[in-house]
Amino acid sequence: MSSSDPALSVHGVSKAYRLGMENAATTFREALMRGLSRDHATPDNTLWALRDVSLEIARGETVGIIGRNGAGKSTLLKLISRITWPTEGEIRLYGRIGSLLEVGTGFHPELTGRENIFLNGTILGMRKHEIQRRFDEIVAFAEIDRFLDTPVKRYSSGMYIRLAFAVAAHLDPEILVVDEVLAVGDAAFQRKCLGKMGEVAHEQGRAVIFVSHNMHSISLLCCRCIVLDAGQISFSGETAAAIEAYARQFAGADTQPSHPARRPGSGEYRF
């Protein structure tokens, strides 16, 4: 399949959240009254986490999504992963998706590492023999063979994320979605994950969507980048240009350096 074939498309997607005590109803009467009062909700009670976002990602592409905290990055990944649904717009996926959004997502804490590998594979729609075929690779990558039959509730966050990434990357998803969660791992494991994501995209021809605040990792891995700002796409294009656009979001007057003559110090060193 050529790299120009679409992996996913997002058309005019918006996501609204209602602020306040929306889920606090404890009785049928409270729930009924809250439902009847929705027509009278004011715009101030609604937060648009995403607004009219459209993008397309082809197979074999590695696309970064960057932006400040609260820009809508995680919301977009949750919509793509079908954890939640858009308020407006449409998302089309052309293949199986594997996502790693939060430590422990999709894992049952009472089950062992071995059992969770099969559980995750089943959720992804794989058959038992497919999971068994990749099982040894997953365990070797995660480096948790000694703890394979231990309930994952006893794992450290680093062990958790190693196993979760290994499962997401090895169970043949056509689309791999990875959030900032990799920051939990140590530097060696982060490099290992970046290498695996590059292999998934370039050698296996699958799409990778990577969200990170680490611009070095973004520049190493991603062929292009999307910058989100206040729930909207402010830039989409080549990675270096996207990182520059992202940096300009922080270039307000309060971050501009003062004139050297007004700075304290002896002046022996200047930057």
Side-chain angles (χ1 to χ4, degrees), residues 50-68:
L50 291 174
R51 198 67 157 154
D52 194 26
V53 171
S54 297
L55 60 94
E56 290 193 359
I57 298 176
R59 296 182 186 274
E61 268 197 305
T62 305
V63 177
I65 299 178
I66 60 179
R68 292 181 290 186

Side-chain angles (χ1 to χ4, degrees), residues 259-261 263-271:
H259 191 277
R263 293 179 184 166
S266 65
E268 294 177 80
Y269 298 96
R270 296 193 181 195
F271 297 90

Side-chain angles (χ1 to χ4, degrees), residues 10 16 95 107 152 223 245:
V10 176
F107 277 19
V152 298
C223 57

Side-chain angles (χ1 to χ4, degrees), residues 11-268:
H11 297 291
V13 163
S14 299
K15 179 64 177 178
Y17 291 102
R18 192 177 300 278
L19 304 178
M21 303 296 290
E22 180 69 14
N23 297 319
T26 57
T27 68
F28 174 75
R29 178 179 176 279
E30 290 174 354
L32 179 61
M33 294 305 296
R34 187 155 290 134
L36 292 174
S37 67
R38 284 181 182 177
D39 291 338
H40 306 288
T42 64
D44 293 338
N45 291 337
T46 301
L47 171 67
W48 288 92
L50 291 174
R51 198 67 157 154
D52 194 26
V53 171
S54 297
L55 60 94
E56 290 193 359
I57 298 176
R59 296 182 186 274
E61 268 197 305
T62 305
V63 177
I65 299 178
I66 60 179
R68 292 181 290 186
N69 290 334
K73 306 183 299 298
S74 294
T75 299
L76 179 58
L77 295 195
K78 288 177 181 178
L79 292 173
I80 291 173
S81 302
R82 296 186 172 176
I83 293 172
T84 186
W85 299 96
T87 306
E88 300 172 355
E90 179 184 55
I91 299 175
R92 292 189 177 184
L93 304 178
Y94 301 92
R96 188 162 49 203
I97 186 167
S99 59
L100 184 59
L101 305 184
E102 297 176 3
V103 175
T105 300
F107 277 19
H108 193 296
E110 299 294 336
L111 299 181
T112 65
R114 183 189 305 275
E115 292 165 336
N116 271 295
I117 292 173
F118 283 91
L119 174 64
N120 269 256
T122 302
I123 291 172
L124 285 173
M126 300 187 71
R127 297 181 182 276
K128 185 176 180 179
H129 70 86
E130 294 179 283
I131 303 170
Q132 289 173 328
R133 179 169 54 86
R134 307 303 301 273
F135 185 86
D136 290 341
E137 294 177 54
I138 292 170
V139 174
F141 188 95
E143 301 173 359
I144 51 103
D145 48 311
R146 288 183 59 199
F147 309 97
L148 191 58
D149 294 307
T150 301
V152 298
K153 68 181 180 181
R154 301 199 179 105
Y155 284 15
S156 68
S157 57
M159 292 166 61
Y160 226 126
I161 205 62
R162 289 205 302 270
L163 181 58
F165 180 87
V167 170
H170 285 83
L171 291 183
D172 298 332
E174 280 73 28
I175 307 160
L176 177 61
V177 177
V178 181
D179 203 345
E180 184 68 29
V181 69
L182 287 185
V184 173
D186 57 34
F189 183 71
Q190 289 182 38
R191 288 195 297 270
K192 190 175 182 180
C193 290
L194 291 174
K196 183 61 181 178
M197 286 190 283
E199 176 189 326
V200 166
H202 304 137
E203 297 182 18
Q204 301 177 20
R206 306 178 189 276
V208 176
I209 305 172
F210 181 44
V211 166
S212 179
H213 289 287
N214 186 328
M215 295 301 108
H216 180 64
S217 297
I218 288 285
S219 62
L220 285 177
L221 183 66
C222 301
C223 57
R224 68 182 176 96
C225 224
I226 293 165
V227 183
L228 286 179
D229 186 19
Q232 296 181 306
I233 294 178
S234 62
F235 182 89
S236 178
E238 192 266 334
T239 300
I243 292 174
E244 290 182 10
Y246 171 63
R248 285 196 296 271
Q249 293 182 0
F250 299 92
D254 58 333
T255 62
Q256 293 296 326
S258 60
H259 191 277
R262 295 193 295 270
R263 293 179 184 166
S266 65
E268 294 177 80

